[in-house]
Amino acid sequence: MDNDILVKSWEELQNALFHDSWDDKINRYRSSYVYRGMWNKDFELSTSLIRLGGDYPKLEPHLLRNFRKYAHRDAAPGNSLWNWLAVAQHHGLPTRLLDWTYSPFVALHFATNNLLNYDTDAVIWCVNYVKSNAHLPPVLKDAISAEGSNVFTPEVLEPVCSSLKELTAFQEEDYVLFLEPPSLDGRIVHQFALFSMMSSATALLSDWLEERPDLYFRIIIPARLKWEIRDKLDQANITERVLFPGLNGLSEWLRRHYTTI
């Protein structure tokens, strides 16, 4: 891809991760990008709903309805669909959401945490979530502008859009919005997490971005760099022990820490 940056060292990787992060308006390094790390550079930005296969667009409302029906009544903070969608994604239900992070180092973790795939080049997708708002329908632009924010929360989205059907009906052209979930647990907080959501269940974010090259770039990480990156992330305390608080995360970190090459 024309928007790919192939890095050859840890130093080049650091420069790429913070590419275009200077903000002239405030004279600070404040990036307008969000990041998604994937262990295979050839992976598309397909959602778990798309990967479900079959007639997945028709299955989406049934999945959410039944999740809400059978979940504990206090599983989501409030009754907003967007809170429930965030909870569902967080707990592994197939949804149209994709996980992102504000932290380039957290994205690096997810690009290098699977030791079984260290023979494959990884990728960090970097998307300018601020510029992406230019493609929102007017009602959503107005809502986010009135809030003085660049991302949605369920509280901001709910008053102007309370259903997936409304999301699709606002305009014919597909668009993406970024949604910050409630702080459901330490995992959400520690991973500096947010979600992307396409207006249509069938829309593929990677295809949408390819038509708008000014909104993104990708960092390609050669397989030979993965161990160096992994060891340096561990030393910087970017590990499962921190990102997945609890005994499972602790065990995953220790398993990898004591793995020999």
Side-chain angles (χ1 to χ4, degrees):
M1 292 186 181
D2 294 337
N3 283 37
D4 286 356
I5 301 173
L6 174 62
V7 296
K8 299 178 181 178
S9 67
W10 172 260
E11 290 74 22
E12 287 185 10
L13 175 60
Q14 301 314 299
N15 287 332
L17 288 173
F18 293 95
H19 171 71
D20 198 24
S21 62
W22 177 255
D23 189 335
D24 287 325
K25 295 178 182 177
I26 59 173
N27 290 322
R28 299 283 296 276
Y29 286 94
R30 295 287 174 82
S31 178
S32 298
Y33 287 84
V34 290
Y35 307 89
R36 179 173 172 85
M38 306 174 77
W39 63 263
N40 189 326
K41 69 178 177 61
D42 296 323
F43 283 166
E44 297 178 314
L45 296 175
S46 59
T47 65
S48 55
L49 182 66
I50 291 175
R51 295 194 298 272
L52 188 63
D55 197 2
Y56 64 87
K58 289 185 178 179
L59 295 177
E60 183 181 33
H62 300 294
L63 284 164
L64 285 171
R65 184 184 69 252
N66 283 292
F67 183 83
R68 295 176 71 168
K69 179 170 68 173
Y70 292 115
H72 190 277
R73 64 180 181 179
D74 297 324
N79 203 38
S80 164
L81 169 68
W82 313 117
N83 274 323
W84 277 104
L85 194 61
V87 171
Q89 171 73 7
H90 187 59
H91 288 283
L93 188 77
T95 75
R96 70 171 66 185
L97 302 184
L98 271 180
D99 295 282
W100 296 80
T101 176
Y102 291 109
S103 168
F105 291 119
V106 171
L108 269 185
H109 168 84
F110 288 106
T112 60
N113 68 324
N114 192 328
L115 300 184
L116 299 178
N117 297 295
Y118 268 36
D119 59 345
T120 305
D121 294 350
V123 64
I124 307 294
W125 285 82
C126 312
V127 175
N128 192 317
Y129 67 97
V130 177
K131 283 186 177 180
S132 73
N133 290 334
H135 299 274
L136 292 172
V139 64
L140 295 182
K141 280 184 188 176
D142 291 344
I144 205 170
S145 176
E147 188 66 20
S149 177
N150 291 308
V151 296
F152 287 89
T153 63
E155 291 76 17
V156 173
L157 187 56
E158 178 71 22
V160 292
C161 180
S162 60
S163 72
L164 293 171
K165 287 183 179 180
E166 287 182 70
L167 201 67
T168 304
F170 282 140
Q171 68 181 33
E172 185 175 346
E173 181 185 9
D174 288 327
Y175 60 91
V176 65
L177 61 83
F178 286 90
L179 180 70
E180 286 186 348
S183 297
L184 302 171
D185 59 21
R187 198 171 102 196
I188 289 284
V189 175
H190 293 187
Q191 293 178 17
F192 212 176
L194 72 163
F195 301 129
S196 65
M197 178 168 59
M198 295 301 296
S199 55
S200 166
T202 59
L204 192 64
L205 179 54
S206 42
D207 288 347
W208 189 84
L209 288 170
E210 284 184 28
E211 296 175 1
R212 299 160 182 84
D214 60 312
L215 295 183
Y216 83 102
F217 63 95
R218 304 194 322 154
I219 302 171
I220 307 302
I221 300 170
R224 63 175 182 81
L225 276 183
K226 281 188 174 181
W227 265 117
E228 179 183 356
I229 293 168
R230 187 63 263 165
D231 287 341
K232 289 179 177 178
L233 287 176
D234 285 354
Q235 187 174 357
N237 205 27
I238 308 297
T239 70
E240 292 88 349
R241 183 176 67 87
V242 174
L243 300 178
F244 295 88
L247 297 181
N248 289 342
L250 174 60
S251 297
E252 281 297 307
W253 167 61
L254 290 172
R255 180 185 61 82
R256 190 190 62 254
H257 185 74
Y258 287 102
T259 295
T260 55
I261 299 176

